[in-house]
Each structure stands twice: as structure tokens, then as C-alpha cells.
Amino acid sequence: MHVPDIEEAIRGRLVLVDGTDVPTGNRAGHDVNFSGKRRRAGLNIQIAADTKGGLLGISVPLRGAIHDRKAFTECGWESRLADTAVMADPAYQGTHAITPRKKPWGGELSVDDKANNRSISSTRSAVERCIAHLENWKMLANGYRGRLTELPTVIRIITALEFYRLGWHPLRITL
């Protein structure tokens, strides 16, 4: 099975990025995995997808109590995707990613900004579909109960199986 590197997978594509969590349950000694936003313990993974909802990559799991913006940097994708067009949600503001504009404090967005935000959101829906397909793997949706040290290997196996399901193969150059 061929699992492409993120640079190989994104070649010439608009990349949609979003983060999700893998629930792990509360475990003694792993307080950094508790997400106050979700009110549960888990690990954060970043998902890269194309505009059709096809998987392009899954990052290594990071602690659950981490913001998507920081996870994007810590997994190394911010530097690796620097020369690529990336679209993401407002949590990624401050990166080179194209993000929707936030409403100014005490003001309103212009008509053009609202139309631009609608366009970005409709394009970004593909990465949400990709995450939904990944959550068909019940351990990613309902919780991983194994050893946390083995979770990165499990995620790599799931990634490989997803690329196999999608029929991914390396680009072959014919002479």
C-alpha cells in the first residue's frame, strides 16, 4: 500500500485543512489531553483534503488541549504547506491559509465580505465530509481504548486503508 507524503499528495491542489479530535477517555497522568471545549479527553489530529472531499493527509496526533492554529504549526504542516494554497476555518487565522473574515467588534461585515465568507464555507465543506468519512472508523469517532503510545500507529494504518479505499497510487511518469 502506498501512503503518499503530504507534499506528494497536495501537488497542484487547493488544500482544505481542519482539525478534529480522537476521544481517548480520561486517563490518569494524561491531563494535557483534556479539551475544555469538548469536555472530554482526546488527541487532536489535522486533516488535509481536496475540494472533492478526498483525503490528502492526516497529521500525527497531538495533545487534545491544543488550538487548531497551534496544532497546524506543531505538526509541521504550516511550513510544509507554505507554498500551497490552503483554505481553513477562522481558527487558522494568522497562518497563510485563506480564512473567512470575522465580524469586526461592534460592526458588521460588508456585502462583499459576507459573499466571500459564503464562498469559503461552501468550499470548506469538503474537508468536513472527509472527516465524516474518517469517523466511519468507530475508534476515531467513539473513542480509542488502547494504549496511547500505539495510537499514532493505528492512525497510520487507518490512513493507509483510506488511501487504498480511494484508489490512491503514486503518479507514474511514462516516457
Side-chain angles (χ1 to χ4, degrees):
M1 258 184 273
H2 178 71
V3 178
D5 190 47
I6 190 76
E7 283 94 359
E8 179 185 351
I10 64 170
R11 193 175 304 139
R13 293 184 168 105
L14 171 64
V15 179
L16 309 173
V17 177
D18 202 2
T20 189
D21 74 318
V22 178
T24 59
N26 295 333
R27 298 167 189 238
H30 294 280
D31 295 337
V32 295
N33 292 340
F34 186 80
S35 171
K37 176 182 175 184
R38 294 180 181 94
R39 304 222 183 274
R40 66 180 182 198
L43 295 177
N44 184 310
I45 57 174
Q46 298 294 301
I47 309 292
D50 61 14
T51 54
K52 295 180 183 176
L55 180 67
L56 297 177
I58 299 177
S59 74
V60 296
L62 301 167
R63 64 190 183 282
I66 190 170
H67 192 271
D68 282 343
R69 163 69 177 97
K70 190 167 185 177
F72 186 59
T73 302
E74 282 191 16
C75 74
W77 281 11
E78 185 173 16
S79 59
R80 294 173 78 184
L81 301 177
D83 298 330
T84 306
V86 177
M87 194 173 284
D89 62 19
Y92 293 86
Q93 285 187 344
T95 66
H96 68 280
I98 300 165
T99 59
R101 245 182 221 258
K102 289 184 178 178
K103 186 174 87 167
W105 189 262
E108 290 294 323
L109 288 174
S110 69
V111 174
D112 290 339
D113 286 341
K114 286 181 183 180
N116 187 39
N117 285 359
R118 268 192 303 278
S119 173
I120 291 171
S121 294
S122 65
T123 304
R124 274 198 63 261
S125 66
V127 73
E128 302 295 345
R129 283 194 309 275
C130 181
I131 290 171
H133 283 296
L134 283 173
E135 288 182 353
N136 285 333
W137 294 91
K138 295 304 177 193
M139 68 177 58
L140 294 182
N142 298 337
Y144 176 74
R145 293 186 218 123
R147 292 186 184 106
L148 290 181
T149 56
E150 295 172 358
L151 184 58
T153 304
V154 170
I155 289 175
R156 279 195 306 273
I157 291 169
I158 290 172
T159 304
L161 290 170
E162 280 294 309
F163 278 116
Y164 179 74
R165 181 184 69 83
L166 294 171
W168 184 270
H169 56 82
L171 298 174
R172 297 193 176 114
I173 300 172
T174 56
L175 300 174

